[in-house]
């Protein structure tokens, strides 16, 4: 397996920013386990994603746009967030823009493997889905961090599923965001929700160690983001993915 400088930087940043010794050690340990898989794990994947193995054709009814995922909601971000939520049976999914390639997949009939280019870590078997147990208050803090760099792009900007994020970047820190469920239901600050995300983000990457700790990790599904997307696509012959206002300015 090739070294991933970004993930090494994440771990070093966690330590440098004063993360608790136990959590930092856990992050280093997780990285070490991934490295220990070595070339054998990469060869086990045959250098191909799960997407590439499928010979089915999917009709893309409208372009899937990844450009801008670090600044605003994208329909490609919605698709991937929906797929990791479905794979983990979580109530909410949050996906950092860092996972999404800045690409556009045109409307056409394509092979699922053609969608692999939408995933930045498509061939990384360690890029698995992890479920966190987070309170509504923590989800709100995560949403606050997600929009904290606007109007500048931020790799930690979150694409979401099962959630509505309304924001006003002109407001003070901690008061920029209002949350609701996908059906406009209330997100209770004290209720605990199952929130699916990527292993790196669950480990506190991109500054999210300020929002949750190791104790909030409920489960590593061992399902890669690539496999989750492949499974999701298998249930769709036609894809019509729209911008739904999941993440939008507060009016």
């Amino acid at each position: 397996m090739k070294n991933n400088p970004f993930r090494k930087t994440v771990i070093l940043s966690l330590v440098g920013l004063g993360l608790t010794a136990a959590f930092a050690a856990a992050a280093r340990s997780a990285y070490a386990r991934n490295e220990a898989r070595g070339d054998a794990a990469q060869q086990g994947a045959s250098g191909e994603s799960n997407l590439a193995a499928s010979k089915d054709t999917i009709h893309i009814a409208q372009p899937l746009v990844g450009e801008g995922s670090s600044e605003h909601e994208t329909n490609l971000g919605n698709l991937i967030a929906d797929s990791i939520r479905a794979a983990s049976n979580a109530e909410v999914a949050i996906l950092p823009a860092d996972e999404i390639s800045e690409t556009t997949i045109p409307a056409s009939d394509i092979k699922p493997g053609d969608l692999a280019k939408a995933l930045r870590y498509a061939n990384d078997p360690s890029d698995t889905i992890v479920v966190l147990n987070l309170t509504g208050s923590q989800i709100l803090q995560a949403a606050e961090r997600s929009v904290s760099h606007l109007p500048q792009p931020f790799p930690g900007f979150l694409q979401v599923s099962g959630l509505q994020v309304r924001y006003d970047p002109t407001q003070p820190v901690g008061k920029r965001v209002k949350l609701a469920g996908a059906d406009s239901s209330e997100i209770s600050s004290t209720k605990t929700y199952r929130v699916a995300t990527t292993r790196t983000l669950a480990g506190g990457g991109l500054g999210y160690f300020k929002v949750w700790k190791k104790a909030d990790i409920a489960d590593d599904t061992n399902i890669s983001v690539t496999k989750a997307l492949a499974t999701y696509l298998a249930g769709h012959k036609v894809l019509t993915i729209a911008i739904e206002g999941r993440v939008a300015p507060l009016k």
Side-chain angles (χ1 to χ4, degrees), residues 2-243:
K2 295 181 179 179
N3 289 335
N4 189 326
F6 172 76
R7 289 168 190 253
K8 288 183 178 177
T9 301
V10 167
I11 292 168
L12 291 173
S13 297
L14 296 181
V15 177
L17 288 169
L19 187 61
T20 64
F23 194 24
R28 286 193 296 268
S29 177
Y31 180 82
R33 287 195 299 272
N34 292 341
E35 288 295 287
R37 295 178 184 178
D39 292 339
Q42 192 67 31
Q43 292 169 3
S46 301
E48 297 179 350
S49 71
N50 298 79
L51 293 173
S54 175
K55 300 185 184 307
D56 294 334
T57 298
I58 300 171
H59 179 68
I60 306 297
Q62 62 190 91
L64 293 171
V65 180
E67 287 92 342
S69 292
S70 59
E71 304 166 60
H72 54 75
E73 175 190 354
T74 62
N75 65 341
L76 184 54
N78 287 349
L79 170 63
I80 302 170
D82 285 347
S83 70
I84 69 172
R85 180 183 171 207
S88 59
N89 294 313
E91 297 162 273
V92 171
I94 54 176
L95 177 76
D98 176 67
E99 292 274 336
I100 305 168
S101 295
E102 292 279 325
T103 188
T104 295
I105 298 171
S108 60
D109 292 329
I110 67 172
K111 300 292 186 182
D114 295 333
L115 277 168
K117 63 184 178 183
L119 300 173
R120 186 161 289 164
Y121 306 115
N123 292 319
D124 183 352
S126 74
D127 187 34
T128 56
I129 300 165
V130 174
V131 178
L132 300 164
N133 284 334
L134 300 181
T135 64
S137 178
Q138 287 174 296
I139 297 172
L140 179 61
Q141 290 176 57
E144 285 274 351
R145 175 156 187 79
S146 172
V147 303
S148 64
H149 290 68
L150 291 175
Q152 299 301 316
F154 173 42
F157 185 89
L158 300 176
Q159 303 291 321
V160 304
S161 178
L163 196 65
Q164 292 179 14
V165 179
R166 299 289 177 266
Y167 63 89
D168 182 351
T170 67
Q171 294 301 307
V173 174
K175 297 184 180 297
R176 291 171 294 202
V177 171
K178 293 186 182 298
L179 291 183
D183 57 357
S184 298
S185 59
E186 178 187 5
I187 297 293
S188 170
S189 62
T190 58
K191 181 179 175 181
T192 298
Y193 300 84
R194 283 175 53 83
V195 179
T197 189
T198 63
R199 176 184 286 193
T200 298
L201 201 69
L206 299 166
Y208 283 90
F209 69 89
K210 299 176 182 179
V211 181
W212 52 74
K213 304 299 180 188
K214 179 184 177 184
D216 295 318
I217 296 177
D219 178 36
D220 185 337
T221 65
N222 291 315
I223 299 170
S224 69
V225 175
T226 305
K227 183 176 181 180
L229 182 57
T231 301
Y232 190 84
L233 292 174
H236 297 78
K237 294 299 182 183
V238 177
L239 275 180
T240 304
I241 309 295
I243 299 296

